[in-house]
Amino acid sequence: MRNRYLDLLRAAAIIRVIVYHHFGWPILSIVFPAMGVMFAVAGSLTAASLAKRSAGSVVTSRMRRLLPPVWLLGLVAVPAMLYAGWQGETDGEHPFQPSTLVFWLLPLGDPPGSDAGAFVWDALWYVRTYLWLVLLSPVLFPLFRRVGWPLLALPLLLMVVLERGSFGMPAPVESALWDLATYGACWLAGFAHRDGRLGRTHPVLVLGAFAALAGLGLKWLVQGHEETGWDLNEVSEAQAVYSLAFVLLVLRWQPPIEKLVAVPAVDRLVNLLNARAVTVYLWHGAAIAAVWPILAAIAMEDLGSFEAPVTLGITFGVTALAVVAFGWAEDLAARRRPRLWPADPTAVRPAPPEPAGPAASPGAAGPAPAGSPVVHPSEPVTLGFQATPGLRLTPGGTDMPVAGRPVPGYGFDEATPQHRAGFDETAPRHRAGYGGVPWAGHSGDDGAP
């Protein structure tokens, strides 16, 4: 059974991520903190699976559905980076070491890549963080059932510890812990959504928590904006509490969306993005990097006022081509018949026949009301489950978006239009996560990712 609200949330988050990475608009991190939303939805879906199946089968199923698209990306990207001179890079973030290629098979650490190909591997921090949270969930979910809301403080306490120093940890380990601390509370909020704890919480308390946490996050953002800009992704502490506030709000209340998702174009787009969430996430960075080379090849670099819509259109177009070319890996991983473009209309579940004659009871089933759960034509990344009465749940997919701590690396050079969709290997990189990936048409001298 599916709930279209969560499907719509995930689809909106995917689109927001592409637009954010394309233009680099900091305001998007505040208006819709997609990373926290997607971790919260993923936490809810993982908890739903753990409530019905053994921990081993849940972890195995999630890994089986997540990893093949990553392997396909590596099969294309690693040889391409080697051909382009990765072995000759001596001062990059990931100098070529054959032993580290194992993280392309099992990304418990960041899959490595060349500096020139950072737009391919830089976003894989999410795969690594998601995988660790899945592995930890068989312990965290039963613990949450016993402890409840106080457990949400655990990732935030980890962040307090990390603020005191690295304690001699290798940089990759410290970065991984920062990502877990930043989004761990959102994942646990998904647990609260799944077991009904959030739905039973009085609205006044939820609104109060939202105001307090969001206010604290914005306060920290304002305090450091001269150094970090106005992007929540630049301030992990602000990102953590603001994202938690936002997901508590959007998972506590579901606005009426029946008319919106009843529009055929919206319905098909939501289904497509949910069925190809992993592919879109893995390949949209390469699509962004391809924008200006494509425009240069057709001698259309001077677009004037049309630059923003044209470059964004190219990004979406190239991403769509990647969906056609590589999306079938998600079907094989889910043991479905491979399809090129799974933008199917939602199949409405038929209502059971109503008993005829005097035997009909007052509670006999009739036509399904608007907004009732529906069966999706193709299950995304996780197995389905029966929704608990009173909860709004959906079988899930892997999810999206971007995080990390500032580390040395890349920035952007506006000297030429091509550089706006490429890398300046000598400029400072402002943050981990997606900080190294370019946005078509974005001026990079402000330090915002």
Side-chain angles (χ1 to χ4, degrees):
M1 304 297 296
R2 301 192 63 82
N3 175 267
R4 299 300 281 162
Y5 176 59
L6 292 186
D7 284 347
L8 186 63
L9 271 181
R10 178 163 41 229
I14 295 170
I15 294 172
R16 198 287 263 162
V17 166
I18 297 175
V19 175
Y20 171 80
H21 290 158
H22 182 92
F23 293 116
W25 293 334
I27 189 63
L28 291 178
S29 69
I30 299 173
V31 173
F32 191 83
M35 296 78 77
V37 170
M38 298 315 299
F39 275 110
V41 172
S44 177
L45 302 176
T46 301
S49 297
L50 288 170
K52 294 193 64 174
R53 308 200 308 273
S54 68
S57 67
V58 171
V59 171
T60 301
S61 175
R62 293 261 166 169
M63 293 176 65
R64 173 175 58 82
R65 295 192 174 201
L66 173 67
L67 294 180
V70 177
W71 297 340
L72 181 57
L73 175 66
L75 190 63
V76 174
V78 170
M81 289 186 289
L82 289 172
Y83 178 79
W86 183 13
Q87 289 176 289
E89 293 182 358
T90 58
D91 57 351
E93 185 172 341
H94 294 295
F96 178 71
Q97 298 177 358
S99 61
T100 62
L101 294 178
V102 69
F103 291 127
W104 278 99
L105 299 176
L106 186 62
L108 296 176
D110 291 321
S114 67
D115 287 2
F119 56 84
V120 173
W121 54 260
D122 205 22
L124 296 180
W125 73 267
Y126 174 78
V127 175
R128 179 248 298 152
T129 305
Y130 175 89
L131 188 56
W132 273 111
L133 287 169
V134 167
L135 292 172
L136 291 171
S137 287
V139 175
L140 291 176
F141 184 53
L143 184 60
F144 177 80
R145 282 178 155 177
R146 297 187 62 180
V147 176
W149 289 112
L151 191 63
L152 271 70
L154 181 61
L156 304 180
L157 291 175
L158 173 60
M159 187 171 289
V160 172
V161 173
L162 293 172
E163 279 285 359
R164 296 183 175 274
S166 64
F167 304 100
M169 291 182 290
V173 174
E174 185 182 7
S175 178
L177 288 175
W178 268 108
D179 291 337
L180 287 170
T182 301
Y183 292 108
C186 292
W187 186 274
L188 296 175
F191 288 179
H193 171 259
R194 172 64 186 95
D195 74 356
R197 200 179 305 256
L198 179 57
R200 295 190 299 268
T201 303
H202 196 282
V204 172
L205 294 177
V206 178
L207 286 172
F210 170 79
L213 292 170
L216 181 61
L218 292 176
K219 177 184 177 183
W220 286 340
L221 182 64
V222 170
Q223 286 178 339
H225 81 275
E226 292 184 358
E227 179 181 350
T228 60
W230 296 100
D231 195 320
L232 281 172
N233 293 300
E234 292 291 340
V235 186
S236 294
E237 299 84 354
Q239 176 76 283
V241 294
Y242 186 88
S243 294
L244 177 58
F246 191 88
V247 302
L248 289 175
L249 197 64
V250 298
L251 293 182
R252 177 60 176 81
W253 285 280
Q254 173 177 326
I257 61 166
E258 289 81 6
K259 292 183 179 179
L260 178 61
V261 296
V263 177
V266 174
D267 178 50
R268 289 175 178 271
L269 178 62
V270 169
N271 292 343
L272 173 66
L273 290 174
N274 278 270
R276 292 292 183 263
V278 181
T279 301
V280 172
Y281 181 69
L282 293 178
W283 290 93
H284 80 276
I288 293 172
V291 168
W292 288 103
I294 290 174
L295 289 173
I298 60 177
M300 288 186 61
E301 299 158 283
D302 187 9
L303 297 170
S305 59
F306 293 100
E307 180 178 300
V310 170
T311 56
L312 183 61
I314 294 173
T315 291
F316 281 124
V318 177
T319 302
L321 291 176
V323 166
V324 173
F326 306 111
W328 51 266
E330 294 194 61
D331 291 327
L332 293 181
R335 298 173 180 172
R336 298 190 298 256
R337 175 178 59 85
R339 292 178 299 163
L340 294 179
W341 192 255
D344 303 314
T346 299
V348 180
R349 181 180 58 179
E354 185 173 349
S361 66
S372 294
V374 293
V375 178
H376 195 281
S378 61
E379 293 293 335
V381 180
T382 55
L383 299 179
F385 56 87
Q386 187 73 26
T388 302
L391 294 181
R392 303 180 181 275
L393 302 172
T394 176
T398 51
D399 319 292
M400 310 242 345
V402 178
R405 291 291 290 174
V407 296
Y410 309 106
F412 309 101
D413 181 2
E414 271 273 291
T416 65
Q418 290 84 351
H419 284 155
R420 285 176 285 179
F423 287 87
D424 174 8
E425 296 162 355
T426 62
R429 183 179 177 193
H430 299 288
R431 56 188 297 283
Y434 223 104
V437 176
W439 319 301
H442 174 61
S443 172
D445 57 359
D446 59 0

